[in-house]
Amino acid sequence: SYVANPAKSADLIAEIGSHIYIKEPTTATIDHKEVTLPAGMTFKEAFELSTNGGWRNRVRMALLKEAGKI
């Protein structure tokens, strides 16, 4: 679920965007399409993968957690 936090996504990407987000190959549904996400995908790569709001929120929540903000 969405967590309000004043941290900007761009700032989080600059800070920890190179950290690994996807550790093992996995699939996700983005814009009603199933997409395979490769192992080793970084937070920056994941964030830039799609501008879909649901996807961006999912990555943002993981960014906030990785940065220790939630």
Side-chain angles (χ1 to χ4, degrees):
S1 70
Y2 182 78
V3 176
N5 188 294
K8 291 186 169 123
S9 296
D11 293 341
L12 293 168
I13 292 290
E15 181 184 337
I16 60 168
S18 63
H19 292 199
I20 301 298
Y21 175 48
I22 304 296
K23 294 175 179 36
E24 296 180 11
T26 189
T27 58
T29 302
I30 305 171
D31 290 325
H32 307 288
K33 296 178 186 171
E34 192 167 287
V35 180
T36 300
L37 308 171
M41 179 178 268
T42 65
F43 282 95
K44 183 178 190 299
E45 291 169 331
F47 192 78
E48 293 174 348
L49 182 66
S50 175
T51 59
N52 174 278
W55 174 252
R56 283 272 173 104
N57 185 57
R58 177 177 166 181
V59 175
R60 179 175 163 71
M61 293 301 107
L63 274 166
L64 288 166
K65 185 175 180 182
E66 180 79 4
K69 306 226 184 253
I70 58 171

